[in-house]
Amino acid sequence: MSYELAINNSADFWLKLDQLVTTSNLKIDRPKGTSHPRYSSLIYPLDYGYLEDTRSGDKDNIDVWLGSLSGKVVTALICSVDLEKRDTEVKILVGCTYQESREILNIHNIGFQSAILLVRDEVVAV
């Protein structure tokens, strides 16, 4: 694949993620400041929830972290692997600053988990 084709595909990828987010109902089930239901020492630094009526690899709804920036624009993705659960997941970061994205990444790099952060090069208002 040529570099130019990869750039065009990348832009289309982010725009399609934006469309998925803006056409879905975002349900926050773990508000900022609350603790994880099974791991009480994990306090959510941002709102965490999911896109209703979507499906991720684990057959649940797609997980979303909601940051402090205005608008429902996808700013990054977290791709994680969990050896204990023996699965991988993608989490969409919506309206997250770079600092918020790094904080979320740290949460997904604990214990049996490892994750990478894919940051959108250029955020376009939708």
Side-chain angles (χ1 to χ4, degrees):
M1 178 184 302
S2 72
Y3 178 74
E4 184 176 306
L5 182 57
I7 294 298
N8 290 338
N9 285 346
S10 175
D12 191 47
F13 173 79
W14 292 107
L15 290 175
K16 282 186 169 60
L17 277 174
D18 286 334
Q19 186 177 12
L20 179 65
V21 170
T22 58
T23 60
S24 299
N25 185 31
L26 175 56
K27 173 79 171 158
I28 301 298
D29 60 350
R30 298 177 188 174
K32 177 181 178 176
T34 61
S35 60
H36 189 280
R38 286 185 300 220
Y39 309 103
S40 59
S41 63
L42 171 60
I43 307 299
Y44 287 91
L46 298 168
D47 288 338
Y48 182 76
Y50 58 90
L51 298 175
E52 290 184 323
D53 300 319
T54 60
R55 185 175 305 185
S56 64
D58 63 1
K59 308 287 190 255
D60 282 336
N61 292 293
I62 298 170
D63 295 327
V64 175
W65 285 95
L66 184 60
S68 62
L69 299 175
S70 63
K72 289 175 77 173
V73 177
V74 177
T75 51
L77 292 175
I78 295 278
C79 296
S80 67
V81 60
D82 187 325
L83 294 179
E84 186 174 19
K85 290 176 17 183
R86 300 191 54 77
D87 76 349
T88 61
E89 289 191 44
V90 173
K91 301 187 186 288
I92 299 175
L93 282 61
V94 175
C96 293
T97 65
Y98 182 73
Q99 186 61 35
E100 289 169 339
S101 298
R102 297 295 303 180
E103 190 172 3
I104 295 164
L105 177 64
N106 291 339
I107 289 171
H108 293 286
N109 275 308
I110 297 173
F112 292 99
Q113 295 182 90
S114 186
I116 60 170
L117 176 67
L118 303 174
V119 178
R120 187 175 192 168
D121 286 338
E122 184 177 330
V123 175
V124 181
V126 290

